[in-house]
Amino acid sequence: MNRSDTLFTAAKKVLPGGVNSPVRAFQRVGGHPIFFNKSSGSHLIDVDGKSYIDYVGSWGPMIVGHSHPTVIKKIQTAVGEGLGFGAPTEIETILAEEVIKLMPSIEMIRMVSSGTEATMSAIRVARGYTGRDKIVKFEGCYHGHSDSLLVKAGSGALTLGEPDSLGVPASLAAHTITLDYNNSAQVTETFARIGDDVAAIIVEPIAGNMGLVPPADGFLQTLRKVCDQHGTVLIFDEVMTGFRVALGGAQSHYGVKPDMTTLGKVIGGGMPVGAFGGRADIMNVVAPLGGVYQAGTLSGNPIAMTAGLATLELIQAPGFFERLAEKSEQLTSGLRMRAEQANVSFSTHCVGGMFGFFFTSANPVTGFAQVMNANTDQFNTFFNSMLQQGINLAPSPFESGFISAAHSSEDIEETLRCAEIAFAAL
Ligand code: KE4
């Protein structure tokens, strides 16, 4: 038994499923999770000393690479001054100003400690601002685990086959209307009927929690249009796409301006940070300014702010996102070619520093139904072969992969060499 298995046995005695977040438990892909205890650049080292090229990146935050020396040094300096003061600190304002500079649709922002807190709070703000209860989301999109949003959710919920969680009161779920991602006609028809009752649409501008499904032409523009027509708040959940697909996030990549944006992952640089923000007239309802209460003991924690700010500064280097996109393209085009050579039905897509793939002949995959028709047995075989060869992918077909500035061309060529072997195993 390797050390990971020993540690997993111990973990299962005290942590539900042996994990602190379900997708890490490997229930979908079989086998046991690997325990890691060191990271550097594009690599993770497990507790048995084995090295992996990593495409999980702590689920997105590690865009500049694991343990970036500049980020680590700045955190070490900040830690020496104190871990937190329970009072305002200057760096909270500095990080807020930096985010607003990069995402001008955000005029005011509130820091929180997770993406779930960000989306939960944004929904409450939209309801408080409009005085309406209904919200619209899309099947297969995941916005964290707050009650109103655990309805036909993606990511870990979909991975475990529980897109509608137990424990969510039916009376609350009734206010959440779930539509089909990329179905503009359905959105238009729904809003013609009930648009004036909808507080918010919340959407992943690029769906990254059912695998990667980009928005169809005109889809985001349709959401913008119906929200304008009915006074509905358009929330772009950019927890994953923010500062990942472009310096200004998906909203700059596609040129559609939301009323509110939720953020996480990259803006924490690996530390617990989320944020929600948007138009000043909407954010003015947030306590202590207005009547929508929202709070957090560690919101704006100075160490977390330091990690986030250091990361945001690094991603503004000239050509950063161009190089990231080139690496994503090198990986996905290489995978596509090797799958073709192995006669494997395979569809892959990338946007900026994120990528996804499905074992399906549908090309491109444009919606949830096609995602659910993909071959997950082949995904499992591929995943486990890659892991065995030292390539760390997300342990679920309903996730995306993440490339960092630290991934070298050699890392990607090595990944493709391993993929050739993994495809042959199918
Ligand atoms: P957190 O509460 O996990 O920080 O963020 C929730 C969230 C909100 N919105 C989007 C678009 C997200 O992708 C997430 C979280 N992403 C997953 C990975 N797909 C987190 C991994 C996990 O659940 O362990």
Side-chain angles (χ1 to χ4, degrees):
M1 183 186 271
N2 64 29
R3 184 148 167 67
S4 277
D5 290 345
T6 304
L7 293 177
F8 191 46
T9 301
K12 285 188 287 188
K13 294 191 175 96
V14 291
L15 301 169
V19 293
N20 283 309
S21 197
V23 70
R24 304 179 201 162
F26 273 41
Q27 282 193 2
R28 188 83 195 201
V29 294
H32 293 167
I34 306 289
F35 281 60
F36 296 104
N37 60 5
K38 187 165 174 48
S39 67
S40 176
S42 57
H43 283 70
L44 294 177
I45 314 293
D46 76 12
V47 291
D48 290 294
K50 182 177 176 181
S51 178
Y52 298 74
I53 299 172
D54 177 40
Y55 292 100
V56 177
S58 189
W59 300 96
M62 305 306 184
I63 194 168
V64 296
H66 286 285
S67 309
H68 190 289
T70 304
V71 178
I72 296 294
K73 184 164 175 37
K74 289 187 173 177
I75 293 173
Q76 286 171 333
T77 303
V79 164
E81 302 300 315
L83 297 177
F85 310 105
T89 56
E90 182 184 9
I91 192 157
E92 294 167 70
T93 305
I94 296 169
L95 180 58
E97 289 169 341
E98 199 67 14
V99 171
I100 289 168
K101 180 188 83 176
L102 297 173
M103 274 192 183
S105 73
I106 299 174
E107 296 172 333
M108 294 280 282
I109 191 168
R110 167 66 56 89
M111 301 294 171
V112 294
S113 298
S114 70
T116 291
E117 267 193 279
T119 56
M120 174 179 71
S121 306
I123 292 293
R124 186 182 310 135
V125 168
R127 284 171 161 158
Y129 174 76
T130 60
R132 303 171 182 177
D133 293 340
K134 291 193 185 324
I135 59 167
V136 167
K137 72 176 288 290
F138 296 89
E139 186 167 27
C141 286
Y142 178 72
H143 304 288
H145 63 88
S146 66
D147 285 351
S148 284
L149 295 169
L150 268 185
V151 177
K152 294 187 180 179
S155 184
L158 188 57
T159 298
L160 300 181
E162 295 164 0
D164 303 297
S165 173
L166 295 178
V168 175
S171 58
L172 182 62
H175 294 298
T176 301
I177 295 146
T178 307
L179 301 180
D180 300 329
Y181 194 77
N182 278 336
N183 190 334
S184 293
Q186 185 190 39
V187 169
T188 302
E189 187 279 326
T190 302
F191 269 75
R193 277 187 297 107
I194 62 165
D196 291 344
D197 298 332
V198 180
I201 293 176
I202 185 165
V203 66
E204 291 181 60
I206 300 168
N209 286 292
M210 50 172 135
L212 192 155
V213 178
D217 289 349
F219 178 61
L220 298 178
Q221 291 77 2
T222 298
L223 303 186
R224 179 67 276 167
K225 183 179 169 193
V226 297
C227 285
D228 289 340
Q229 287 171 338
H230 296 276
T232 298
V233 176
L234 178 56
I235 303 171
F236 273 12
D237 178 357
E238 295 225 41
V239 166
M240 185 184 287
T241 57
F243 312 113
R244 165 58 62 180
V245 299
L247 187 53
Q251 56 195 266
S252 74
H253 184 78
Y254 293 105
V256 176
K257 185 179 178 182
D259 302 309
M260 294 184 77
T261 300
T262 53
L263 297 167
K265 298 180 191 280
V266 170
I267 64 163
M271 301 289 283
V273 177
F276 63 96
R279 288 181 4 219
D281 64 316
I282 297 176
M283 292 299 288
N284 282 336
V285 305
V286 179
L289 283 182
V292 177
Y293 194 70
Q294 189 282 334
T297 302
L298 295 178
S299 296
N301 172 271
I303 311 304
M305 299 289 102
T306 300
L309 183 61
T311 301
L312 287 195
E313 287 166 348
L314 288 167
I315 67 172
Q316 294 179 65
F320 182 91
F321 282 93
E322 288 77 6
R323 288 190 295 278
L324 211 58
E326 280 165 18
K327 290 171 186 173
S328 295
E329 188 54 42
Q330 179 191 352
L331 177 64
T332 51
S333 56
L335 290 171
R336 194 175 294 118
M337 186 179 76
R338 285 158 180 77
E340 278 168 18
Q341 287 165 348
N343 291 318
V344 172
S345 296
F346 184 81
S347 172
T348 183
H349 192 81
C350 63
V351 185
M354 66 191 268
F355 65 92
F357 58 86
F358 301 97
F359 288 89
T360 178
S361 54
N363 209 345
V365 169
T366 58
F368 185 71
Q370 288 171 313
V371 167
M372 297 314 287
N373 283 332
N375 187 324
T376 53
D377 290 339
Q378 286 192 325
F379 174 89
N380 292 352
T381 304
F382 182 81
F383 167 84
N384 282 295
S385 170
M386 293 291 268
L387 186 67
Q388 186 60 38
Q389 297 182 77
I391 308 297
N392 188 49
L393 298 169
S396 162
F398 309 119
E399 295 292 353
S400 293
F402 303 103
I403 284 203
S404 81
H407 283 79
S408 65
S409 206
E410 293 71 25
D411 287 332
I412 292 169
E413 287 310 312
E414 169 62 9
T415 304
L416 293 173
R417 191 190 61 74
C418 295
E420 200 162 333
I421 294 167
F423 282 129
L426 297 181

